[in-house]
Amino acid sequence: VMSRQISQAQSAGIDGFVMSWFGPGEPYTSGVFGTLLNQASSQGFHVAVDIDMGQGFLSTIEEAQGAVDHAIHSLGSHPAYLRYNGKPVIFFWNQQRFTPQQWAGVRNAVDPNHDSIWIAEGNALNYVGVFDGLNLYNIAWSGNPAGTNATWSSRVKTAGGIFVATAMPGFDESHLGRAD
């Protein structure tokens, strides 16, 4: 299945996936991501983790720090791991679980030289600085996704960060009764 999905993505001009990951102590996503890394490597594709802080697997700052350390130093060294300017890229979901100051402590402990790229989720511009940028995980609510991405790109760049635009091909919430 992974091989087919990677081939389909490549034929559409996509060269990488980002996968939700619950940390090194959670066997399901860790196992799947390891398999995805190896499959991506065999097909010339790239993948990255989106450290999911919302499922309760990473409840403490110490657990989060351990997960980030593992992502940078173990997963990020794999040849198929997604890199930008030579640095492994790590996405975070629900990073608001901890304050920017708490994340600064994590960053200083595991990546003091900013040898990786950290991308936080959402519209929390106050996280830019500790994190290298933001992405809007889901913009299906927007009646004008291109305009929403352009607006947020400008805001994040003004704050000194990198903006990662969201693309959700084929996503359709119309069956949920939402107008936009």
Side-chain angles (χ1 to χ4, degrees), residues 15-180:
D15 56 8
F17 290 151
V18 178
M19 183 187 131
S20 291
W21 181 70
F22 301 144
E26 191 282 318
Y28 179 73
T29 60
S30 287
V32 171
F33 190 76
T35 302
L36 183 58
L37 270 172
N38 293 330
Q39 188 64 51
S41 182
S42 73
Q43 292 182 253
F45 200 67
H46 295 93
V47 295
V49 292
D50 188 340
I51 299 176
D52 189 330
M53 302 297 302
Q55 303 300 320
F57 292 105
L58 304 171
S59 301
T60 68
I61 200 72
E62 293 79 16
E63 290 171 334
Q65 182 171 315
V68 176
D69 185 62
H70 183 80
I72 293 169
H73 298 107
S74 295
L75 303 176
S77 64
H78 193 285
Y81 197 91
L82 177 69
R83 288 175 179 71
Y84 178 72
N85 289 334
K87 298 178 179 184
V89 181
I90 301 165
F91 291 80
F92 294 79
W93 188 80
N94 198 25
Q95 77 286 338
Q96 296 95 333
R97 170 178 270 181
F98 303 119
T99 68
Q101 295 76 20
Q102 288 172 306
W103 282 113
V106 171
R107 188 92 195 229
N108 288 333
V110 300
D111 190 25
N113 298 320
H114 291 236
D115 293 324
S116 60
I117 305 287
W118 292 20
I119 304 296
E121 186 273 329
N123 60 2
L125 290 170
N126 60 323
Y127 283 81
V128 175
V130 173
F131 289 82
D132 301 293
L134 295 177
N135 84 304
L136 301 176
Y137 178 78
N138 181 342
I139 60 168
W141 52 266
S142 175
N144 179 4
T148 298
N149 276 329
T151 296
W152 276 98
S153 176
S154 177
R155 289 177 182 168
V156 174
K157 287 177 184 175
T158 298
I162 300 166
F163 179 71
V164 179
T166 301
M168 299 181 78
F171 191 89
D172 180 4
E173 286 192 337
S174 63
H175 68 283
L176 299 175
R178 297 180 182 159
D180 292 334

